[in-house]
Amino acid sequence: MTPPVDARNRELTHLQALEAEAIHVMREVAAEFENPVLLFSGGKDSIVLLRLAEKAFRPAPIPFPVMHVDTGHNFPEVMEFRDRRVEELGVRLVVASVQEAIDKGRVTEETGPRASRNRLQTTALLDAIAEHGFDAAFGGARRDEERARAKERIFSFRDDFGGWDPKRQRPELWNLYNGRIRRGENVRVFPISNWTELDVWEYIAQENLEIPSIYFAHEREVFARDGMLYAVSDFVELMDGETPFVESVRYRTVGDMSCTGAVRSTASELEAVVAEIASTRVTERGETRADDKVSEAAMEDRKIAGYF
């Protein structure tokens, strides 16, 4: 539970101020848009979004569905958590399936040892937004993750094709958000844009939120590639010289197994995870996401095409 504010001192704590801003954004979207959706991957950031949505609208239920873009190559622990959490909250789950997009010929699956379905998520996401007529999609992106996300507004305008143009984003002065769009356009909304990874973990600890087990240290069969540790799975083909071994690891991000790396860790409890994040000097995406290492502008290129 959020600690009560001392009646003699109404100044909010750092986390209380971030929480208040995010709840304000969520209520603003619920008031301005006709058909919002919350993107829920089962990862730590979207878990925080769900908690904020609960607080923003309680005692009423969360007034919009959640959507997961399922690559088909997700960590099984995360999928189990996703389904259980959605059922507990009683919210409607919309699944945008990359496998379905492949089967329909909308995208072509990559082949080879570096093949990944991560890039294919964009088409599945845009198709689902169009199919269901969503005009606003909450996302858990934060400005501290990497440079393209640092350019994002909290209300990030997307054109008729789902594309993002940094030069066309609207000014956000004094927390005034412009949600006016034409039919076919939409916005991505990032209520925790101003949070850091450490803020997210401290909030999870404060709220005692349940998270998937892969966020805690566990022994796993992995192999080393390009300075990262990948989980051995049916979705990644080993290259010559790559030998699996068992290591104590945990994950800082949740994504497609083909592009998400683990970090060596012995942090098996929330307190230890928070301490680990407080001492690191490497961003989570810089340390664990191969999709951001393709080029200097990899994330920005994906966002221009309609990525999260």
Side-chain angles (χ1 to χ4, degrees), residues 6 19 43 64 81 85 129 133 135 172 190-191 211 244 249 262 282 288 305:
D6 189 331
E19 179 188 70
F64 36 73
F81 175 85
R85 189 70 186 116
I129 287 176
D135 52 5
E172 292 180 344
F190 304 110
I211 54 177
V249 299
V282 183
T288 67

mmCIF file of all heavy atoms in Angstrom, residues 6 19 43 64 81 85 129 133 135 172 190-191 211 244 249 262 282 288 305:
data_model
loop_
_atom_site.group_PDB
_atom_site.id
_atom_site.type_symbol
_atom_site.label_atom_id
_atom_site.label_comp_id
_atom_site.label_asym_id
_atom_site.label_seq_id
_atom_site.Cartn_x
_atom_site.Cartn_y
_atom_site.Cartn_z
ATOM 1 N N ASP A 6 2.047 12.385 5.510
ATOM 2 C CA ASP A 6 2.024 12.991 6.833
ATOM 3 C C ASP A 6 1.144 14.245 6.790
ATOM 4 O O ASP A 6 1.363 15.151 5.983
ATOM 5 C CB ASP A 6 3.454 13.372 7.244
ATOM 6 C CG ASP A 6 3.524 13.816 8.694
ATOM 7 O OD1 ASP A 6 2.516 14.349 9.208
ATOM 8 O OD2 ASP A 6 4.582 13.636 9.317
ATOM 9 N N GLU A 19 3.415 8.673 -9.219
ATOM 10 C CA GLU A 19 2.131 7.959 -9.260
ATOM 11 C C GLU A 19 0.991 8.919 -9.572
ATOM 12 O O GLU A 19 0.111 8.617 -10.402
ATOM 13 C CB GLU A 19 1.886 7.271 -7.919
ATOM 14 C CG GLU A 19 0.577 6.514 -7.841
ATOM 15 C CD GLU A 19 0.297 6.009 -6.433
ATOM 16 O OE1 GLU A 19 0.020 6.850 -5.540
ATOM 17 O OE2 GLU A 19 0.365 4.784 -6.216
ATOM 18 N N GLY A 43 5.452 -7.797 -18.447
ATOM 19 C CA GLY A 43 6.705 -7.255 -17.925
ATOM 20 C C GLY A 43 6.479 -6.253 -16.810
ATOM 21 O O GLY A 43 5.360 -5.812 -16.559
ATOM 22 N N PHE A 64 -11.004 -0.306 -19.666
ATOM 23 C CA PHE A 64 -10.546 -0.620 -21.016
ATOM 24 C C PHE A 64 -9.880 -2.001 -21.000
ATOM 25 O O PHE A 64 -9.470 -2.491 -19.940
ATOM 26 C CB PHE A 64 -9.568 0.451 -21.532
ATOM 27 C CG PHE A 64 -8.651 1.023 -20.481
ATOM 28 C CD1 PHE A 64 -7.594 0.287 -19.971
ATOM 29 C CD2 PHE A 64 -8.865 2.305 -19.991
ATOM 30 C CE1 PHE A 64 -6.754 0.827 -19.012
ATOM 31 C CE2 PHE A 64 -8.031 2.847 -19.018
ATOM 32 C CZ PHE A 64 -6.973 2.104 -18.528
ATOM 33 N N PHE A 81 2.033 -16.006 -16.196
ATOM 34 C CA PHE A 81 1.720 -14.845 -15.353
ATOM 35 C C PHE A 81 0.672 -13.963 -16.021
ATOM 36 O O PHE A 81 -0.269 -13.493 -15.374
ATOM 37 C CB PHE A 81 2.996 -14.044 -15.085
ATOM 38 C CG PHE A 81 2.757 -12.775 -14.317
ATOM 39 C CD1 PHE A 81 2.689 -12.783 -12.934
ATOM 40 C CD2 PHE A 81 2.557 -11.567 -14.978
ATOM 41 C CE1 PHE A 81 2.443 -11.620 -12.229
ATOM 42 C CE2 PHE A 81 2.311 -10.403 -14.284
ATOM 43 C CZ PHE A 81 2.260 -10.427 -12.902
ATOM 44 N N ARG A 85 -2.844 -13.098 -14.216
ATOM 45 C CA ARG A 85 -3.076 -11.729 -13.736
ATOM 46 C C ARG A 85 -4.321 -11.121 -14.379
ATOM 47 O O ARG A 85 -5.106 -10.425 -13.727
ATOM 48 C CB ARG A 85 -1.849 -10.857 -14.052
ATOM 49 C CG ARG A 85 -1.902 -9.486 -13.406
ATOM 50 C CD ARG A 85 -1.722 -9.577 -11.908
ATOM 51 N NE ARG A 85 -1.912 -8.278 -11.261
ATOM 52 C CZ ARG A 85 -2.898 -8.030 -10.400
ATOM 53 N NH1 ARG A 85 -3.751 -8.976 -10.063
ATOM 54 N NH2 ARG A 85 -3.000 -6.846 -9.846
ATOM 55 N N ILE A 129 -4.758 -2.746 -33.638
ATOM 56 C CA ILE A 129 -5.282 -1.407 -33.352
ATOM 57 C C ILE A 129 -6.367 -1.046 -34.366
ATOM 58 O O ILE A 129 -7.434 -0.521 -34.014
ATOM 59 C CB ILE A 129 -4.132 -0.374 -33.366
ATOM 60 C CG1 ILE A 129 -3.271 -0.533 -32.104
ATOM 61 C CG2 ILE A 129 -4.680 1.053 -33.455
ATOM 62 C CD1 ILE A 129 -2.057 0.368 -32.064
ATOM 63 N N GLY A 133 -10.280 -0.775 -33.556
ATOM 64 C CA GLY A 133 -10.595 0.648 -33.531
ATOM 65 C C GLY A 133 -10.079 1.369 -32.300
ATOM 66 O O GLY A 133 -10.689 2.348 -31.850
ATOM 67 N N ASP A 135 -8.213 4.005 -30.257
ATOM 68 C CA ASP A 135 -7.720 5.340 -30.585
ATOM 69 C C ASP A 135 -6.625 5.807 -29.631
ATOM 70 O O ASP A 135 -6.027 6.877 -29.846
ATOM 71 C CB ASP A 135 -8.871 6.349 -30.638
ATOM 72 C CG ASP A 135 -9.735 6.336 -29.384
ATOM 73 O OD1 ASP A 135 -9.390 5.619 -28.423
ATOM 74 O OD2 ASP A 135 -10.761 7.042 -29.357
ATOM 75 N N GLU A 172 3.809 19.768 -25.038
ATOM 76 C CA GLU A 172 3.109 19.427 -23.791
ATOM 77 C C GLU A 172 3.599 20.379 -22.718
ATOM 78 O O GLU A 172 4.631 20.143 -22.082
ATOM 79 C CB GLU A 172 3.362 17.963 -23.417
ATOM 80 C CG GLU A 172 2.699 17.002 -24.391
ATOM 81 C CD GLU A 172 2.920 15.534 -24.051
ATOM 82 O OE1 GLU A 172 3.831 15.233 -23.248
ATOM 83 O OE2 GLU A 172 2.184 14.703 -24.598
ATOM 84 N N PHE A 190 2.160 7.277 -22.650
ATOM 85 C CA PHE A 190 3.187 6.708 -21.778
ATOM 86 C C PHE A 190 3.125 7.354 -20.388
ATOM 87 O O PHE A 190 3.879 8.297 -20.082
ATOM 88 C CB PHE A 190 4.568 6.905 -22.408
ATOM 89 C CG PHE A 190 4.670 6.321 -23.792
ATOM 90 C CD1 PHE A 190 4.775 7.139 -24.900
ATOM 91 C CD2 PHE A 190 4.626 4.952 -23.981
ATOM 92 C CE1 PHE A 190 4.851 6.596 -26.176
ATOM 93 C CE2 PHE A 190 4.697 4.397 -25.250
ATOM 94 C CZ PHE A 190 4.813 5.220 -26.353
ATOM 95 N N PRO A 191 2.242 6.839 -19.524
ATOM 96 C CA PRO A 191 2.059 7.463 -18.201
ATOM 97 C C PRO A 191 3.297 7.411 -17.315
ATOM 98 O O PRO A 191 3.431 8.234 -16.400
ATOM 99 C CB PRO A 191 0.918 6.627 -17.578
ATOM 100 C CG PRO A 191 0.215 6.005 -18.741
ATOM 101 C CD PRO A 191 1.291 5.746 -19.744
ATOM 102 N N ILE A 211 5.400 -10.375 -9.728
ATOM 103 C CA ILE A 211 6.035 -10.280 -11.043
ATOM 104 C C ILE A 211 6.431 -11.690 -11.498
ATOM 105 O O ILE A 211 6.540 -12.606 -10.681
ATOM 106 C CB ILE A 211 7.289 -9.379 -10.992
ATOM 107 C CG1 ILE A 211 8.251 -9.859 -9.899
ATOM 108 C CG2 ILE A 211 6.897 -7.922 -10.775
ATOM 109 C CD1 ILE A 211 9.540 -9.060 -9.829
ATOM 110 N N PRO A 244 26.088 -24.423 -24.734
ATOM 111 C CA PRO A 244 25.222 -24.110 -23.580
ATOM 112 C C PRO A 244 25.899 -24.435 -22.251
ATOM 113 O O PRO A 244 26.703 -25.370 -22.164
ATOM 114 C CB PRO A 244 24.008 -25.017 -23.804
ATOM 115 C CG PRO A 244 24.037 -25.356 -25.253
ATOM 116 C CD PRO A 244 25.492 -25.420 -25.618
ATOM 117 N N VAL A 249 21.082 -16.606 -13.372
ATOM 118 C CA VAL A 249 20.757 -15.384 -14.119
ATOM 119 C C VAL A 249 19.387 -14.854 -13.692
ATOM 120 O O VAL A 249 18.603 -15.557 -13.049
ATOM 121 C CB VAL A 249 20.715 -15.646 -15.642
ATOM 122 C CG1 VAL A 249 22.064 -16.125 -16.154
ATOM 123 C CG2 VAL A 249 19.608 -16.644 -16.006
ATOM 124 N N ALA A 262 19.808 -12.362 -20.664
ATOM 125 C CA ALA A 262 19.777 -12.387 -19.196
ATOM 126 C C ALA A 262 21.064 -11.770 -18.656
ATOM 127 O O ALA A 262 22.032 -11.562 -19.390
ATOM 128 C CB ALA A 262 19.652 -13.833 -18.711
ATOM 129 N N VAL A 282 24.623 0.420 -16.444
ATOM 130 C CA VAL A 282 24.260 0.045 -17.808
ATOM 131 C C VAL A 282 22.744 -0.007 -17.908
ATOM 132 O O VAL A 282 22.076 -0.577 -17.039
ATOM 133 C CB VAL A 282 24.844 -1.332 -18.187
ATOM 134 C CG1 VAL A 282 24.525 -1.670 -19.642
ATOM 135 C CG2 VAL A 282 26.346 -1.359 -17.956
ATOM 136 N N THR A 288 20.611 -5.898 -22.286
ATOM 137 C CA THR A 288 19.891 -7.162 -22.491
ATOM 138 C C THR A 288 19.061 -7.241 -23.759
ATOM 139 O O THR A 288 18.346 -8.230 -23.945
ATOM 140 C CB THR A 288 18.949 -7.433 -21.290
ATOM 141 O OG1 THR A 288 17.908 -6.451 -21.281
ATOM 142 C CG2 THR A 288 19.696 -7.388 -19.980
ATOM 143 N N ALA A 305 8.214 3.147 -37.900
ATOM 144 C CA ALA A 305 7.381 2.170 -38.619
ATOM 145 C C ALA A 305 6.127 1.787 -37.857
ATOM 146 O O ALA A 305 5.252 1.096 -38.396
ATOM 147 C CB ALA A 305 8.204 0.930 -38.926
#
